[in-house]
Amino acid sequence: MNAGWIRWDDEDRRNDNSYEGSVPDGTYNKDTVIRYCCQEKGFAENPIYLPTDSPFYLFPLTKQCQKVEGMTDTLQWIYFDTQNFNTKNGQGWPHPFRRSYYTDHIVYQCYYTPK
């Protein structure tokens, strides 16, 4: 397992950051940093075995979701509006599949439900 991170330089004006429920390890204040562990071995199309009794999310390394035995996956994304000027956005490899839209982040995630 390898450690990675993503930092959002959140908007300075009208910053309405909030969170609830389970969130990745990280820092959640005027800016956001998430930290996680990442497994880079193997192929996404080869199923792995994880608990299947309830839905969960995984961050993909590519636009392909890791297959999980007994689960159906759906690729989803979240758009994060970040600071527009002099942004301090960043990431440390490995990081989830993401795209940049100007200075903003679009981060992909895979949602898993039992078959």
Side-chain angles (χ1 to χ4, degrees), residues 44 47-48 50-58 64-76 109-115:
I48 61 173
L50 295 172
T52 59
D53 48 332
S54 59
F56 59 87
Y57 287 94
L58 293 175
Q64 182 179 1
C65 291
Q66 170 67 53
K67 295 300 177 192
V68 175
E69 189 66 35
M71 302 296 276
T72 300
D73 59 85
T74 305
L75 185 66
Q76 302 178 349
Q109 57 190 8
C110 297
Y111 182 62
Y112 294 86
T113 54
K115 287 184 177 178

Side-chain angles (χ1 to χ4, degrees), residues 44 59-65 75 95-98 108 110:
F59 289 114
L61 275 176
T62 67
K63 201 170 181 179
Q64 182 179 1
C65 291
L75 185 66
H95 56 77
F97 181 67
R98 65 176 198 80
Y108 289 80
C110 297

Side-chain angles (χ1 to χ4, degrees), residues 4-12 15 17 24-36 59 78-84 86-91 95-100 103-109:
W5 56 274
I6 297 179
R7 179 181 52 243
W8 289 264
D9 184 1
D10 297 325
E11 290 284 0
D12 292 339
N15 182 332
N17 282 358
D25 185 36
T27 304
Y28 300 90
N29 51 34
K30 69 180 188 81
D31 292 329
T32 303
V33 178
I34 61 170
R35 294 178 186 83
Y36 45 82
F59 289 114
I78 303 173
Y79 176 86
F80 294 93
D81 183 19
T82 63
Q83 182 63 25
N84 296 331
N86 300 319
T87 182
K88 297 179 184 86
N89 292 337
Q91 68 271 333
H95 56 77
F97 181 67
R98 65 176 198 80
R99 295 187 189 270
S100 294
T103 60
D104 300 332
H105 284 303
I106 299 171
V107 177
Y108 289 80
Q109 57 190 8

